[in-house]
Amino acid sequence: MHRGVSIFARRIFLSSRVVGTSNGLLFSKLNPLNPSFHGFSVCRVFSFVPAHRRTPGPDDPSTLMKEDGVSVCSQMWIENFREPDRIISNLTTYLRRFELWVLAYQKVCADDMGAYMPRNAIQRSALEDLLALRNAVLDSKFKWGARLEFFIKSPKDKTDYESLSKRKIKAILTTTQPAAFQDKIVQEVLFMILEPIYEARFSPKSYAFRPGRNAHTVLRVIRRHFAGYLWYVKGDLSTILDGMKVGMVINALMRDIRDKKVIDLVKAALVTPVITSNIDEGEKKKKKKRKYQKKRVLADDEPKPDPYWLETFFGFAPEEAVKNPSWGHCGILSPLLANICLDELDHWMEGRIKDFYSPSKSDVIWNSPEGEADQGNTSWPEFVPTSGPDKTRKMDYVRYGGHILIGIRGPRADAATLRKQLIEFCDQKYMLKLDNECLPIEHITKGIMFLDHVLCRRVVYPTLRYTATGGKIISEKGVGTLLSVTASLKQCIKQFRRLNFLKGDRDPDPQPCFRMFHATQAHTNSQMNKFLLTIVEWYRYADNRRKVVNFCSYILRGSLAKLYAAKYKLRSRAKVYKIGARNLSRPLKEKKGQSPEYHNLLRMGLAESIDGLKFTRMSLVPETDYTPLPNNWRPDHEKALLEFIMLEDPRTLEEHRRCISEQGLVSPQDYISMLVWNYKRNATMDQTSLMNTIDHRILGSNLDSFGSKAKELEEHDESFQAAEV
């Protein structure tokens, strides 16, 4: 054997040229006398294997990505909004689409790592793991809540689970852990499939956990449609958000979906227990000695924590928006499932609203049979003029998460009857035991609290001017009610007290914000300014926007003044304001604010500029936004979807052409066809003058006068419509 290898090597050395193509490279002469000869070249010749291009298989990740994931999602939205009432029986087709899995991987990576990952930046190994996860879901081999065995891991997870000690494995299996990366991907895929199906079916009366709708939309709807209501039923059904029986959730899903694979996935997510570790009471009571904490440096791929101002604003959330449902391993699917279960209540209330409506001929506002007439002046929709004793009976309803608000125009007995029916419905459908205390009936004069805003009524006496018979203008005094939506100052004080910004109720005293003690003055002022800007936006539709924002600015300014007094040893807030000005824009450290050297350094860019606090005076706060909400309002994405579907419908084009022909108009396309037909028939116009006439008529003239001529030509020649340029 050794002799054969020696003979083969000798033949190679004696050959004049050995040419091998490996990855497009050409080997030079392998001659021992050649100075460029090295032993490594011999090894490359011996190890040379001809490369063949491997044809990708049907399960290759690059082959499965035929379209963009966003286009697939867009097509799902269009299909469901085109036929919103159909029963869907085959969702496994979308579950197989690898584009959706790649898009879900990108979204979860963005949430997990804090940076968006383009599709071409995803490594092939990650795509293969993602394909294995998809196949496991399709083959029913995927299990929710895995702790040690994963099909795919987060790019920042570098843990080697095979080399962990028994103590660490036990800690992972018995303590509370965040949701697995692969669980989040499956949740995201299910969410992308289920959301367009139910968004086309949901009632327009629900506004929480839905795209394009938020708490501001609820306040605008209340201002627009709840004017004139006397009795209000306010209900708290938030116990449903804590969890429902699995059978009820699955039954709600199966009303519209008959796909076994998706139903089984959601059911497994609800049934699989979530492992949580209970902290002993002894450990809670035991006080740990406070140690010095070294400042932690974030890794390159680690997302930054929420800034202080955003975390503070989240703590400022109203009671109706605090609770976010979390059911089993459903994750981001939980709010959608909660809306699916409560959607039956929304549709039931829509039926009650339609049955309750009873118009009165003497009513000047709601006297149409359908009840869709505008409420007085659209620019002042909260004003409702009073009528005679025989008033229109009307009702409206909104739901935000687990909280409902019903407005009733009629006697209190009607509100009590509706409350009784609502209690029976919740007991029958949701097995939720409610009583009269959970659904109180309140009059508008007492003020109705909803989303930290108070709904109240003011009686106004405006001067009504109208034109009588004969053109005579008559002016007379009228009487009506004005719906006022004001921010609750009491609730605002309560939120600030919970965030440790003040103490006391009648005379609130700002407290120093010691959490920003080690931050610079510029950074602290910047954080508080961002918090103030979000407060201004939150109270955008409140009638007392300027008053409540100015109060918030006073609390934050006093808190910072006490903080700076303790930090720079200035003893009092008055001394802080004297050095740092009213808006705390001058530097307090070493009293540089009054020195001309500091202004010179600031002008040269060598000193850090400090932004003063905003809205220190009430005149600086923007006014309330009274823009009326349009009737039959829809979010922008729904309007775009419906308009796209309408333009795709051939009946829309036929209707458009019919309207043009009925009004004696002619479209530009038909006018061009008419000119071309006339040119072919008479041959009195050359081609250049024909094109000039077309350009002139299309760009600069009205086409109304050509309608009659087009009809005459159409009568003489039936081939007019088929003429082509």
Side-chain angles (χ1 to χ4, degrees):
M1 177 179 176
H2 293 287
R3 183 181 179 187
V5 172
S6 303
I7 295 173
F8 180 64
R10 185 171 180 275
R11 289 179 180 177
I12 291 175
F13 290 140
L14 294 178
S15 61
S16 59
R17 182 184 296 268
V18 177
V19 179
T21 57
S22 175
N23 297 328
L25 297 177
L26 186 67
F27 290 100
S28 59
K29 294 181 180 180
L30 295 179
N31 194 335
L33 302 178
N34 193 348
S36 62
F37 172 80
H38 299 286
F40 178 70
S41 301
V42 181
C43 297
R44 291 194 60 176
V45 171
F46 282 119
S47 62
F48 167 72
V49 178
H52 300 284
R53 185 181 295 271
R54 184 174 61 88
T55 57
D59 291 337
D60 189 74
S62 58
T63 308
L64 295 174
M65 290 189 294
K66 299 177 182 179
E67 297 182 47
D68 186 33
V70 177
S71 63
V72 177
C73 288
S74 302
Q75 190 62 33
M76 292 167 58
W77 280 85
I78 293 171
E79 290 177 0
N80 287 284
F81 270 81
R82 183 182 286 117
E83 300 178 13
D85 299 327
R86 65 190 176 99
I87 302 297
I88 300 175
S89 58
N90 187 16
L91 287 179
T92 311
T93 305
Y94 289 108
L95 205 59
R96 294 180 183 276
R97 297 297 296 267
F98 192 62
E99 299 92 339
L100 294 180
W101 292 86
V102 175
L103 182 61
Y105 178 83
Q106 291 175 290
K107 295 174 71 174
V108 176
C109 280
D111 294 337
D112 204 34
M113 302 176 60
Y116 176 75
M117 180 180 293
R119 192 166 72 171
N120 55 5
I122 304 176
Q123 297 181 1
R124 182 174 179 84
S125 59
L127 291 176
E128 292 175 351
D129 295 341
L130 192 62
L131 182 60
L133 176 63
R134 188 208 70 165
N135 295 336
V137 170
L138 293 174
D139 298 338
S140 302
K141 297 180 181 179
F142 171 76
K143 293 183 180 180
W144 295 96
R147 296 295 182 93
L148 296 176
E149 298 179 358
F150 306 104
F151 292 96
I152 186 172
K153 295 195 301 182
S154 173
K156 71 174 186 179
D157 187 5
K158 309 298 182 183
T159 306
D160 186 8
Y161 291 92
E162 296 180 356
S163 61
L164 291 178
S165 62
K166 293 183 178 180
R167 182 179 59 83
K168 290 185 178 180
I169 292 176
K170 182 180 179 181
I172 291 174
L173 294 177
T174 56
T175 58
T176 305
Q177 299 289 332
F181 186 77
Q182 62 180 16
D183 289 5
K184 294 180 182 179
I185 294 177
V186 179
Q187 293 166 5
E188 193 71 47
V189 172
L190 289 174
F191 184 79
M192 288 189 291
I193 293 175
L194 294 178
E195 186 186 30
I197 296 173
Y198 286 99
E199 279 297 325
R201 292 168 166 78
F202 280 156
S203 167
K205 302 293 184 181
S206 66
Y207 296 93
F209 316 126
R210 296 185 62 186
R213 295 172 171 86
N214 50 28
H216 277 171
T217 313
V218 178
L219 296 175
R220 297 184 69 190
V221 168
I222 290 173
R223 185 188 291 277
R224 179 69 177 85
H225 296 288
F226 278 63
Y229 293 153
L230 300 178
W231 299 100
Y232 286 82
V233 180
K234 183 181 174 184
D236 183 5
L237 311 178
S238 57
T239 53
I240 295 178
L241 302 183
D242 294 332
M244 292 181 63
K245 291 187 176 181
V246 178
M248 298 173 63
V249 180
I250 298 303
N251 290 337
L253 275 173
M254 293 187 67
R255 285 200 308 264
D256 304 304
I257 293 177
R258 304 295 167 81
D259 189 280
K260 188 176 184 302
K261 185 71 66 178
V262 174
I263 296 294
D264 290 345
L265 265 176
V266 177
K267 185 177 180 180
L270 292 169
V271 171
T272 305
V274 180
I275 301 174
T276 56
S277 56
N278 298 324
I279 303 175
D280 298 336
E281 294 183 359
E283 294 182 3
K284 290 183 180 179
K285 295 180 180 179
K286 186 187 295 184
K287 292 184 179 180
K288 295 183 179 180
K289 189 176 180 181
R290 189 174 180 181
K291 297 180 180 179
Y292 173 74
Q293 294 181 352
K294 187 179 180 181
K295 181 182 279 188
R296 191 171 67 90
V297 180
L298 297 176
D300 295 337
D301 56 351
E302 186 177 0
K304 295 182 179 179
D306 290 336
Y308 175 71
W309 68 270
L310 187 59
E311 185 180 342
T312 307
F313 181 70
F314 286 159
F316 208 81
E319 177 189 358
E320 292 83 359
V322 168
K323 186 171 290 187
N324 195 7
S326 180
W327 297 354
H329 293 279
C330 291
I332 60 172
L333 277 176
S334 301
L336 179 63
L337 294 176
N339 273 336
I340 292 172
C341 295
L342 290 171
D343 186 58
E344 194 170 355
L345 171 64
D346 301 336
H347 288 292
W348 180 81
M349 279 301 306
E350 286 181 351
R352 299 283 77 76
I353 291 171
K354 188 175 181 181
D355 297 340
F356 186 81
Y357 177 69
S358 177
S360 173
K361 293 183 179 179
S362 61
D363 203 321
V364 297
I365 295 297
W366 298 298
N367 51 15
S368 62
E370 297 81 8
E372 296 297 333
D374 289 336
Q375 300 177 13
N377 187 2
T378 56
S379 62
W380 200 17
E382 61 271 17
F383 172 73
V384 177
T386 57
S387 305
D390 186 18
K391 296 182 180 180
T392 297
R393 295 169 67 247
K394 189 175 172 64
M395 178 173 60
D396 213 334
Y397 157 86
V398 291
R399 179 178 65 83
Y400 190 84
H403 295 262
I404 62 174
L405 182 67
I406 306 172
I408 300 172
R409 181 181 170 93
R412 189 184 187 279
D414 293 340
T417 304
L418 177 66
R419 178 173 65 178
K420 183 179 178 181
Q421 295 175 355
L422 184 60
I423 290 174
E424 293 176 356
F425 178 84
C426 292
D427 187 14
Q428 181 182 0
K429 293 293 181 181
Y430 305 117
M431 297 182 182
L432 184 64
K433 302 294 181 181
L434 299 176
D435 52 9
N436 293 341
E437 294 182 358
C438 297
L439 297 169
I441 300 176
E442 300 176 355
H443 197 266
I444 185 63
T445 54
K446 293 185 177 180
I448 314 300
M449 176 79 71
F450 198 72
L451 290 172
D452 285 358
H453 288 67
V454 179
L455 314 180
C456 53
R457 183 185 66 170
R458 290 181 292 167
V459 180
V460 293
Y461 303 92
T463 301
L464 303 178
R465 293 182 176 86
Y466 59 92
T467 305
T469 306
K472 186 179 179 180
I473 299 177
I474 298 178
S475 300
E476 62 180 16
K477 278 283 185 181
V479 59
T481 58
L482 187 69
L483 180 65
S484 177
V485 181
T486 60
S488 173
L489 199 61
K490 182 179 179 181
Q491 195 70 13
C492 183
I493 294 173
K494 180 180 177 181
Q495 300 282 23
F496 272 123
R497 193 190 309 116
R498 188 162 56 86
L499 294 172
N500 299 323
F501 273 100
L502 57 82
K503 65 178 181 179
D505 290 331
R506 295 185 178 179
D507 190 13
D509 183 27
Q511 296 298 299
C513 175
F514 283 118
R515 186 168 173 182
M516 303 293 293
F517 187 83
H518 296 287
T520 61
Q521 183 181 351
H523 180 68
T524 305
N525 286 7
S526 173
Q527 293 288 305
M528 292 304 171
N529 278 335
K530 291 177 181 178
F531 178 60
L532 276 173
L533 289 173
T534 53
I535 290 292
V536 168
E537 183 62 24
W538 166 236
Y539 292 117
R540 178 175 183 176
Y541 299 101
D543 290 340
N544 59 342
R545 183 187 189 185
R546 285 189 164 182
K547 181 179 179 181
V548 70
V549 171
N550 186 254
F551 172 77
C552 295
S553 177
Y554 161 75
I555 295 297
L556 295 178
R557 191 163 56 96
S559 176
L560 289 187
K562 285 191 173 182
L563 170 68
Y564 294 150
K567 183 177 180 179
Y568 299 114
K569 301 178 181 180
L570 298 176
R571 296 184 180 181
S572 66
R573 283 187 288 176
K575 200 166 185 181
V576 172
Y577 291 139
K578 183 178 180 181
I579 300 174
R582 178 186 178 90
N583 59 355
L584 304 176
S585 59
R586 295 177 183 172
L588 298 167
K589 190 175 182 180
E590 298 178 5
K591 301 181 182 181
K592 289 183 179 177
Q594 300 175 353
S595 61
E597 292 82 3
Y598 169 76
H599 294 286
N600 294 333
L601 293 175
L602 185 64
R603 188 164 52 249
M604 291 186 293
L606 301 178
E608 186 179 16
S609 61
I610 301 174
D611 295 331
L613 285 184
K614 297 180 180 295
F615 314 120
T616 53
R617 300 186 185 277
M618 191 177 293
S619 58
L620 300 176
V621 182
E623 295 183 354
T624 307
D625 187 358
Y626 287 108
T627 306
L629 188 72
N631 207 16
N632 299 325
W633 174 88
R634 280 182 175 271
D636 292 337
H637 71 279
E638 290 188 9
K639 289 193 293 186
L641 280 169
L642 295 176
E643 186 175 356
F644 179 81
I645 292 169
M646 183 186 66
L647 293 176
E648 272 195 335
D649 191 356
R651 291 177 295 181
T652 305
L653 182 60
E654 293 297 330
E655 183 70 18
H656 179 66
R657 294 195 178 205
R658 186 181 61 79
C659 293
I660 289 178
S661 61
E662 286 179 357
Q663 296 177 8
L665 303 177
V666 60
S667 63
Q669 182 180 1
D670 292 340
Y671 175 65
I672 294 174
S673 303
M674 180 187 68
L675 290 177
V676 173
W677 177 84
N678 194 16
Y679 167 73
K680 290 181 179 179
R681 185 165 183 175
N682 298 330
T684 57
M685 185 187 302
D686 59 349
Q687 191 171 4
T688 305
S689 59
L690 171 67
M691 299 307 298
N692 292 336
T693 305
I694 290 175
D695 294 339
H696 174 68
R697 295 300 184 188
I698 295 299
L699 297 176
S701 300
N702 191 3
L703 303 178
D704 296 353
S705 59
F706 298 96
S708 58
K709 183 65 177 176
K711 288 183 178 180
E712 293 176 5
L713 293 174
E714 187 175 6
E715 292 174 359
H716 288 293
D717 192 352
E718 295 181 357
S719 63
F720 167 73
Q721 295 292 338
E724 298 179 357
V725 178

